[in-house]
Amino acid sequence: MDKGRIIFLNGVTSAGKTSIVEALQNQEEIFFYVVANDLFQEMVGENYLRKNYWKYLSEVIIMMYHTARLYSDMGKNVLIDGILVEREELRPHYRQLLDILKDHPLDIVEVYCPLEICRQRNIIRGDRYETQSQEQYALMAENINYRTRVDTSIYSPEECAKKIIQELF
């Protein structure tokens, strides 16, 4: 059985990753299962996250990558909605991702949006704090080998999804 493709949408909060995921799931051409930082974070109780946020988040992020690998092994295409940050608890995060998913068809897509627009989106959303995107940007892994890049300040989620499908499939 062929392994399913793994597409990692990497970007700061409010860059538009989840909107692109929804657009990809609405298209008819290719079906994807989704694993996301937010979904896996919900597996940890708030009490534990308050005590030691990065310890528990780091654990579920690694579990998320193993889950994506399992789906891929079963021939299923997977979208990862996440962010590659280099925190002590995850370091070397990018290398760990590559090691866990070695021998799997992994493509990393940079989901870009200017930080000022992300800040405005955070305010509108109300479930993120204003400077969260900027703080995440400062922690992002460097020298990532991106397969393609989409800019959500210029293109709609549907246009970004179409570009991803055209370039990766």
Side-chain angles (χ1 to χ4, degrees), residues 121-134:
R121 290 176 181 175
N122 288 338
I123 293 168
I124 292 167
R125 286 175 69 161
D127 63 346
R128 303 287 195 267
Y129 55 92
E130 185 175 340
T131 60
Q132 191 168 347
S133 302
Q134 186 171 358

Side-chain angles (χ1 to χ4, degrees), residues 51-81:
K51 286 180 186 175
N52 196 338
Y53 178 80
W54 281 104
K55 174 192 183 300
Y56 292 106
L57 182 64
S58 299
E59 290 175 357
V60 295
I61 286 172
I62 297 304
M63 286 186 260
M64 179 177 72
Y65 298 155
H66 284 282
T67 301
R69 178 184 172 141
L70 175 65
Y71 277 97
S72 175
D73 286 340
M74 296 176 69
K76 307 301 182 189
N77 294 318
V78 182
L79 293 171
I80 298 176
D81 177 346

